[in-house]
Every structure is written in structure tokens, then in C-alpha cells.
């Protein structure tokens, strides 16, 4: 059994002289799903883009000591994969061809990836013909085909119906057993109930980090500027905004 | 790959047809006799000693048809690569101004240093593609409207420059006009050698980078999958410029082949460059030979610049694509 995989991050990023991420620092590890939440424009997507090399931040993202930010793209892709925010696919690849794109750097197996998300039987279909939920599963499979130790996901459940949203969350629950999984989440309730750790990002800064059970209405009020209450029904946590 | 066989067969048939037809009628036996071992030997040593029919076949029609095929292959491959590079199915070396840049380079060379026409065209093409890329890029994306506008603006500018350069040269205006509209008239074996070099180099490079071309379709996202996007963008810009500029230097400005070929083939083969590239290259070659046959036959015994034929077919096709794009149907 290899030692626990652990990702340690400390990054700052400026765009047009404006500091978008201010010394954002956190750690994530195998076995625990980290959800990043926060208001629109908090810098959540920017943070993920910095970690996978699309943007060039200052700082580090160390995976068991190796700074991923210093690696060349092909080398970095072996350690970290990324599921971008779902947009409508522009080119009519088959499901299999599309997932194969993920195996570029590592030569990972497409079959295993598609079987994990339950889309192997549909490998010959065109991605442009899939529903939003199915396409999201294929996007996850593409990242899985990279065979990396870390997977970052940008709002994997937004625009999905409840069935597909839960399917994705259960998939992440299974994946965290063998990977560091970090997901930017739009839906606070899904994040509260599925994540092991919660990070609240606001205006490019970490405002709160901890276990979902420790989150208080006061923190939400401060960050989202709403009055909220957190209730628990059958061990299910529900955030409701109150006037 | 079985689907490629009809394309191969049509390539061969069109090349044979291209050799068979022309203003001078030569019987089938006359054509076959031209390919005798003896004639081929003479063609290599002292082609002027060939008897008339053999001269027409081996020194006029054959280099012309082979050049047309190779230019078609070059432009179709450059078009396919441009569409991946710009993530845009309306990109084509002609529409985005690369051909125009190459034309300025070539006509500048024709005026001052005629022996360096291809290299000068290459330089013009690289400059043009970088310019369009810089102008059209908005927040890391290349939207259709800025791409087309940048291409059109550069196209006007380069076309004015080219016309001026041809005007001050004064001699051979008729030839200059033909060259501006694209023609294979007067093609020689030396032209074939040049384009054989550029197309072999360019096409082989593209075949080896089919995975990278697929990834480029995803844009910046592909970095997370391990693509060194800046490196490959530069390399592919270089290859598109090489393919386009050598084609322009030998046969002038021929539009739309680079647009139509990848499009037609994407409908049959899908967007995967592993199949799209060879299909598009074979289709482009055939299309160009077909267009050249029409260019020679429609107003026999005189001929029309082949660029007029490709534009007459290509421009309506382009409008059709734009309308599809408008309705949001334009997908790979």
C-alpha cells in the first residue's frame, strides 16, 4: 500500500494588475472530497485553471512534494486531471474518441474510464447527441482516462437534473477512495452532504475551511450576504435562505 | 480506412482523365505510346527532342495534372489544419488571408529576386497568419466574426499590395492576371518538384500530429490533458504557411479548396484527424484536378483561371456554411 496522496496548494494570481487569487492556501488528500464553494466571481474556476496549467499563477501546488506548477504540460497531465465546466460539445467525436483525448499524455485505458462512468455501451454514439448529464459523465471519463492521482472538477452538477447530479456525486464519492478529488460546487446543499471538507472562497480569498458539520449560518451570512438557516433532516443538511 | 478506397480510385481516375483531355485531341493509343520507356528517357535527358504528342503528354499535361493534384492536397491539408488551429470550421488559408500574404511575398520576389519566389511567399504567409491570429484573438478565443473580418481586412491590403507590385512590373500583365486568379497553365516539372517537397513535408508532419490536432479543437482545455499548446500552435502555423505558400508561388491564388475539402470529408469521416486528414488530402487533390479539367475544357481552346472555377463553386458553399452557422447547426 502506497502512502497517502496529498496535495498542498498556495497560489496567487493577477490578471490585468488585479489580484484575482490572494494567497489561496489549502490542502486536500486521498479519501476526502474537498468542495470549493463561494459566490459568483469568487475566483473558484480561476483557481482550478491555475492548478492545471491553463493559467500561470505564483506559488506552488505540491503533490507529495512535487511542484506540479513547474512541470511541462505532458508531465503535469500524468498527475492531475481536470473536468471543465460543461459547455455544448462543438465537434462530433464519438464517445470513445472523445475520451481517448484524455489518454494523450499517459496512454490510459479508455475502456476502464468509460466503464467506471457507465457509458462503455454507448462508446459509438456521438457526443453531440448526448444529454447534458450523459455528456458530463463522458467529461469525467475523459479526465479518468488520464489515470492521474488528482482530479479537479468545475461545477460538475450545474445544469443537471437531480438524477444525474446525484449520479455524479456518488461517482465522486467512489473516486475519492483512490484519488484526491477537488470539486468546485455551485449547489451548497450537495456540497454540504457529499463533501468531507468545505472551502469557502470569496473575492479571491479563503474565507472559511473545515468540515461541513461545522459550518454556521453566521459564516454564510458574512460571505453570501443573506440570512440563512441550516437544518438537519434524517442526517441530511439543508441550507435555506430566510428573509 | 476502407472508406478511403473510393477517394483513392477517384484520384487515379481523375488524373487519367486530366491527362487524356485537352485542346489537342490525342488518341488513347497515342497517349499510351507517349509513356514508352524510350520517350521517358528522352523526357529526362532532352525533352525538346520528343515528338509532338509525347511532348504534350509528358511535358505539358503530366506536370500540370500532378501539380494540380499536389496543390489540391496541400491546400486541403492546410485548410484542415487551419480549422483545428482556429477551432473554427470556416477557416481556410484563402479566407483568413494566408494566401494573400504568400501572394505579396511571391510578387515581391518576382520583381526583385525571382529565384527566391517560394521562400519569399513562405515569409509572406507566416507574417499574414500571425497578423490574423493576433487581430482575431479575443480573450484566448477566435470568434468567427473577428476571424473573418481580420481575414478580409488583410485580404484587401495584400491584394492591393500584390496588384501594385504586378503593376510596377509592367511586363506580362496577362500572365499576372492569370496568376492572381490561380492557374496551372504553363506548369513545369520544376514546379512539381517544389510542391512535391512542401506537400510531402507538410502532409507527413500533419499525419504524425493527428492527436495534437484533435486536442487543439478543445482549445485551452487541452493543456490540462498535456498538450503544449503554444508549441503546437506555432508548429502548425509553420506547416500551414509552408503548404500554402509553395502552392501560391507555383500556381497563384486558388481559394475555397481548403474550405470545402475538410468540410465535405467531416460529414463522412467525422472530426477525428486520424481519418479526416488523409480523406481531406485525397479529396482536395481530386477536386483540384477536376476543377482544372473544367478550366481547360469549358472555353476550349482558350482556358479559364482555375481559381475562378473553385470560387464559383466555393463561394456559394461558403454562404451555405455561414447560414448554417447562423442557425446554430454548424458542428464538426
Amino acid at each position: 500500500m502506497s502512502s497517502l496522496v496529498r496535495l498542498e496548494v498556495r497560489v496567487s494570481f493577477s490578471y490585468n494588475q488585479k489580484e484575482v487569487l490572494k494567497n489561496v492556501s489549502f490542502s486536500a488528500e486521498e479519501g476526502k472530497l474537498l468542495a470549493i464553494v463561494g459566490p459568483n466571481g469568487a475566483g473558484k474556476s480561476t483557481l482550478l485553471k491555475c492548478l492545471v496549467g491553463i493559467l500561470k499563477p505564483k506559488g506552488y501546488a505540491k503533490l507529495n512534494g512535487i511542484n506540479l506548477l513547474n512541470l511541462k504540460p505532458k508531465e503535469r497531465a500524468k498527475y492531475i486531471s481536470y473536468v471543465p465546466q460543461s459547455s455544448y460539445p462543438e465537434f462530433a467525436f464519438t464517445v470513445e474518441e472523445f475520451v481517448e483525448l484524455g489518454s494523450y499524455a499517459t496512454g490510459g485505458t479508455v475502456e476502464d474510464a468509460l466503464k467506471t462512468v457507465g457509458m462503455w455501451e454507448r462508446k459509438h454514439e456521438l457526443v453531440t447527441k448526448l444529454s447534458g448529464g450523459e455528456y458530463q459523465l463522458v467529461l469525467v471519463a475523459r479526465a479518468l482516462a488520464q489515470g492521474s492521482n488528482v482530479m479537479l472538477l468545475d461545477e460538475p452538477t450545474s445544469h443537471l437534473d437531480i438524477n444525474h447530479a446525484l449520479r455524479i456525486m456518488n461517482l465522486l464519492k467512489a473516486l475519492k477512495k483512490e484519488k484526491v478529488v477537488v470539486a468546485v460546487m455551485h449547489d451548497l446543499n450537495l456540497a454540504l452532504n457529499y463533501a468531507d471538507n468545505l472551502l469557502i472562497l470569496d473575492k479571491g480569498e479563503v474565507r472559511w475551511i473545515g468540515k461541513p458539520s461545522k459550518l454556521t449560518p453566521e459564516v454564510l451570512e458574512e460571505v453570501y450576504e443573506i440570512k440563512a438557516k441550516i437544518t438537519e433532516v434524517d442526517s441530511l443538511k439543508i441550507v435555506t435562505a430566510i428573509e | 480506412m476502407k472508406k478511403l478506397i473510393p477517394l483513392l480510385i477517384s484520384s487515379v481516375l481523375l488524373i487519367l482523365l486530366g491527362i487524356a483531355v485537352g485542346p489537342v485531341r490525342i488518341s488513347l493509343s497515342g497517349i499510351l505510346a507517349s509513356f514508352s520507356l524510350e520517350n521517358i528517357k528522352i523526357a529526362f535527358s532532352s525533352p525538346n527532342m520528343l515528338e509532338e504528342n509525347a511532348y504534350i503528354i509528358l511535358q505539358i499535361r503530366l506536370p500540370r495534372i500532378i501539380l494540380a493534384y499536389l496543390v489540391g492536397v496541400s491546400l486541403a491539408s492546410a485548410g484542415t489544419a487551419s480549422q483545428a488551429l482556429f477551432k473554427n470550421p470556416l477557416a481556410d488559408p484563402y479566407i483568413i488571408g494566408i494566401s494573400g500574404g504568400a501572394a505579396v511575398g511571391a510578387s515581391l520576389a518576382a520583381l526583385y529576386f525571382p529565384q527566391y519566389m517560394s521562400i519569399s511567399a513562405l515569409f509572406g504567409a507566416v507574417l499574414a497568419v500571425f497578423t490574423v491570429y493576433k487581430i482575431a484573438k479575443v480573450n484566448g478565443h477566435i470568434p468567427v466574426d473577428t476571424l473573418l473580418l481580420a481575414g478580409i481586412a488583410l485580404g484587401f491590403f495584400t491584394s492591393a499590395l500584390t496588384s501594385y507590385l504586378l503593376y510596377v512590373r509592367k511586363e506580362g500583365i496577362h500572365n499576372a492576371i492569370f496568376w492572381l486568379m490561380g492557374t496551372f497553365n504553363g506548369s513545369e516539372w520544376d514546379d512539381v518538384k517544389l510542391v512535391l517537397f512542401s506537400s510531402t513535408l507538410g502532409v507527413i508532419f500533419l499525419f504524425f500530429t493527428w492527436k495534437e490536432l484533435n486536442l487543439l479543437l478543445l482549445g485551452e482545455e487541452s493543456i490540462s490533458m498535456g498538450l503544449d499548446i503554444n508549441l503546437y500552435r506555432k508548429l502548425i502555423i509553420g506547416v500551414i504557411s509552408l503548404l500554402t505558400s509553395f502552392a501560391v508561388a507555383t500556381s497563384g491564388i486558388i481559394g475555397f479548396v481548403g474550405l470545402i475539402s475538410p468540410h465535405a470529408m467531416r460529414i463522412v469521416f467525422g472530426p477525428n484527424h486520424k481519418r479526416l486528414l488523409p480523406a481531406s488530402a485525397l479529396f482536395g487533390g481530386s477536386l483540384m484536378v477536376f476543377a482544372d479539367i473544367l478550366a481547360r475544357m469549358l472555353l476550349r481552346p482558350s482556358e479559364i483561371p482555375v481559381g475562378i472555377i473553385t470560387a464559383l463553386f466555393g463561394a456559394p458553399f461558403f454562404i451555405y456554411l455561414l447560414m448554417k452557422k447562423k442557425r446554430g447547426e454548424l458542428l464538426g
Side-chain angles (χ1 to χ4, degrees):
Chain A
M1 188 78 190
S2 59
S3 62
L4 206 65
V5 182
R6 189 177 163 86
L7 179 73
E8 284 174 68
V9 174
R10 181 185 288 272
V11 288
S12 296
F13 179 72
S14 296
Y15 182 75
N16 284 345
Q17 274 123 39
K18 191 174 172 274
E19 211 174 13
V20 188
L21 295 176
K22 298 164 195 162
N23 211 10
V24 172
S25 160
F26 66 91
S27 69
E29 59 188 41
E30 197 182 345
K32 288 182 180 151
L33 172 62
L34 173 69
I36 300 176
V37 297
N40 295 335
K44 305 184 294 287
S45 299
T46 307
L47 175 61
L48 296 195
K49 285 181 183 170
C50 284
L51 298 181
V52 293
I54 296 174
L55 300 172
K56 304 268 173 245
K58 288 193 183 108
Y60 60 80
K62 285 185 187 164
L63 185 69
N64 290 1
I66 304 167
N67 187 358
L68 301 178
L69 302 183
N70 290 341
L71 301 178
K72 285 201 184 312
K74 209 163 185 170
E75 195 58 28
R76 190 191 304 116
K78 292 175 186 167
Y79 296 103
I80 192 165
S81 58
Y82 168 64
V83 179
Q85 247 179 64
S86 179
S87 57
Y88 193 73
E90 287 176 89
F91 291 90
F93 285 107
T94 65
V95 166
E96 192 178 16
E97 285 170 336
F98 191 74
V99 172
E100 210 182 318
L101 296 172
S103 67
Y104 169 68
T106 53
T109 62
V110 172
E111 186 176 345
D112 290 349
L114 274 172
K115 280 181 174 164
T116 306
V117 303
M119 291 291 284
W120 174 244
E121 280 71 35
R122 306 183 59 184
K123 61 184 170 177
H124 295 308
E125 288 180 34
L126 298 180
V127 287
T128 43
K129 303 273 186 220
L130 299 177
S131 74
E134 292 160 347
Y135 181 58
Q136 187 66 46
L137 287 169
V138 172
L139 278 174
V140 174
R142 191 181 73 186
L144 274 176
Q146 266 175 253
S148 58
N149 284 329
V150 182
M151 187 186 280
L152 310 180
L153 303 98
D154 197 353
E155 301 202 1
T157 61
S158 55
H159 315 300
L160 297 193
D161 59 55
I162 184 81
N163 177 330
H164 279 97
L166 293 179
R167 217 170 137 184
I168 293 278
M169 291 318 293
N170 284 318
L171 184 60
L172 298 189
K173 228 168 137 178
L175 289 177
K176 75 178 182 186
K177 288 176 192 151
E178 53 191 50
K179 285 181 198 303
V180 175
V181 181
V182 179
V184 162
M185 303 278 301
H186 191 68
D187 186 328
L188 199 55
N189 283 318
L190 274 181
L192 279 177
N193 289 294
Y194 278 88
D196 300 288
N197 288 313
L198 200 64
L199 185 155
I200 302 181
L201 199 67
D202 184 27
K203 300 184 185 77
E205 283 178 279
V206 177
R207 291 291 287 271
W208 190 85
I209 189 160
K211 288 193 189 317
S213 57
K214 305 274 190 243
L215 186 68
T216 60
E218 289 73 32
V219 176
L220 289 176
E221 192 177 334
E222 205 181 306
V223 176
Y224 287 93
E225 294 167 357
I226 51 155
K227 283 213 178 302
K229 65 174 180 181
I230 303 173
T231 44
E232 199 167 327
V233 184
D234 293 339
S235 79
L236 211 65
K237 284 178 269 305
I238 303 162
V239 175
T240 348
I242 43 180
E243 281 305 308
Chain B
M1 287 294 154
K2 267 187 197 157
K3 283 190 193 164
L4 288 178
I5 292 170
L7 286 169
L8 271 170
I9 294 173
S10 71
S11 294
V12 173
L13 289 178
L14 279 163
I15 288 175
L16 293 177
L17 184 67
I19 294 168
V21 300
V24 179
R25 265 182 211 282
I26 302 174
S27 65
L28 188 64
S29 59
I31 293 170
L32 291 175
S34 307
F35 285 98
S36 72
L37 201 62
E38 198 178 336
N39 276 337
I40 291 171
K41 274 185 195 160
I42 301 174
F44 270 103
S45 53
S46 43
N48 290 332
M49 303 292 284
L50 285 167
E51 52 96 14
E52 197 188 333
N53 280 354
Y55 186 87
I56 290 172
I57 297 293
L58 294 179
Q59 290 302 113
I60 296 176
R61 287 190 196 165
L62 196 60
R64 176 181 187 138
I65 294 302
I66 294 179
L67 183 71
Y69 193 82
L70 291 175
V71 164
V73 166
S74 297
L75 294 178
S77 304
T80 313
S82 312
Q83 291 176 9
L85 177 73
F86 287 96
K87 276 181 68 183
N88 194 318
L90 294 179
D92 151 79
Y94 179 72
I95 293 166
I96 58 183
I98 307 177
S99 308
V104 174
S107 39
L108 201 65
L111 202 55
Y112 297 110
F113 31 89
Q115 65 276 35
Y116 297 118
M117 250 173 84
S118 311
I119 297 299
S120 178
L122 176 62
F123 189 73
V126 172
L127 206 65
V129 73
F130 266 109
T131 311
V132 169
Y133 198 86
K134 285 276 178 223
I135 301 174
K137 199 162 146 180
V138 181
N139 295 329
H141 290 275
I142 311 224
V144 185
D145 46 356
T146 57
L147 173 69
L148 295 183
L149 289 175
I152 289 166
L154 196 74
F156 276 125
F157 186 67
T158 53
S159 135
L161 272 179
T162 308
S163 303
Y164 173 76
L165 289 166
L166 292 173
Y167 173 74
V168 294
R169 194 176 164 211
K170 287 205 163 66
E171 51 184 278
I173 283 293
H174 181 74
N175 280 346
I177 288 172
F178 254 71
W179 181 78
L180 272 180
M181 295 180 190
T183 184
F184 295 107
N185 190 14
S187 304
E188 293 169 6
W189 282 111
D190 280 344
D191 299 325
V192 175
K193 281 183 209 160
L194 268 177
V195 179
L196 187 65
F197 162 76
S198 62
S199 59
T200 309
L201 203 70
V203 168
I204 288 178
F205 177 86
L206 291 178
F207 284 172
F208 274 102
T209 48
W210 66 268
K211 282 186 180 178
E212 283 80 7
L213 287 166
N214 282 347
L215 281 168
L216 277 175
L217 293 177
L218 303 175
E220 306 279 313
E221 248 172 70
S222 59
I223 298 172
S224 72
M225 279 159 252
L227 184 72
D228 191 337
I229 200 164
N230 291 324
L231 173 71
Y232 278 96
R233 276 182 178 158
K234 280 179 199 144
L235 285 173
I236 285 163
I237 284 176
V239 172
I240 295 170
S241 306
L242 175 77
L243 286 167
T244 309
S245 57
F246 277 54
V248 169
T250 51
S251 41
I253 306 169
I254 302 166
F256 298 105
V257 174
L259 175 77
I260 297 170
S261 309
H263 249 288
M265 292 302 98
R266 215 177 274 121
I267 294 166
V268 186
F269 293 89
N272 190 344
H273 288 88
K274 189 180 183 178
R275 291 186 299 274
L276 180 60
L277 274 167
S280 179
L282 291 172
F283 184 83
S286 307
L287 186 67
M288 193 61 102
V289 170
F290 179 67
D292 186 53
I293 292 171
L294 289 182
R296 285 187 288 155
M297 300 310 284
L298 285 180
L299 292 183
R300 209 159 37 150
S302 73
E303 63 174 83
I304 316 168
V306 71
I308 291 180
I309 306 279
T310 58
L312 283 178
F313 283 105
F317 183 74
F318 183 70
I319 292 166
Y320 160 77
L321 288 180
L322 269 179
M323 287 173 75
K324 269 179 89 173
K325 181 100 195 164
K326 208 167 76 182
R327 294 200 303 264
E329 293 168 14
L330 195 62
L331 295 168

